[in-house]
Amino acid sequence: MYALIYDEHDFTQQKKVISVHRTRENAEKALEKRKKELGKKVWECNTRVVWLEKNVSSGDYVREGEFATWRPGEPVPHGEMFPDSD
């Protein structure tokens, strides 16, 4: 399942699950909605879409290693395969 998590990029902290979704498309739509509600850019929201193997609900917490950016076998967009800087 896909989920939106609150992630401040601190590897020692648990990540709060904001919402869960069956498809990446729905999760991306929820991320856009959250961005608009907060009036911030994506990187300012500390929110990202992740893939989870286990069932979770909104309000649960997950740790590093329990989620991945991409679902196994999911095609990764070309622009996501390279860092933004040199």
Side-chain angles (χ1 to χ4, degrees), residues 3 5 14 16 19 21 23-24 27 31 34 42-43 47 54 59 63-64 68 79 82 85:
I5 61 169
Q14 293 184 12
K16 184 174 184 175
S19 60
H21 308 274
T23 66
R24 179 172 290 277
L31 179 58
R34 179 171 168 79
V42 170
W43 59 88
T47 306
K54 68 179 193 172
R63 296 180 180 273
E64 286 291 326
F82 305 100
S85 61

Side-chain angles (χ1 to χ4, degrees), residues 21-63:
H21 308 274
R22 290 180 187 239
T23 66
R24 179 172 290 277
E25 181 180 319
N26 288 345
E28 294 287 350
K29 287 178 186 176
L31 179 58
E32 284 298 314
K33 182 179 176 184
R34 179 171 168 79
K35 182 179 84 169
K36 288 178 185 175
E37 287 173 354
L38 295 174
K40 296 181 177 182
K41 303 211 182 303
V42 170
W43 59 88
E44 297 172 325
C45 294
N46 292 324
T47 306
R48 66 181 178 132
V49 175
V50 296
W51 168 256
L52 294 159
E53 290 288 337
K54 68 179 193 172
N55 289 329
V56 295
S57 299
S58 297
D60 289 349
Y61 287 85
V62 293
R63 296 180 180 273

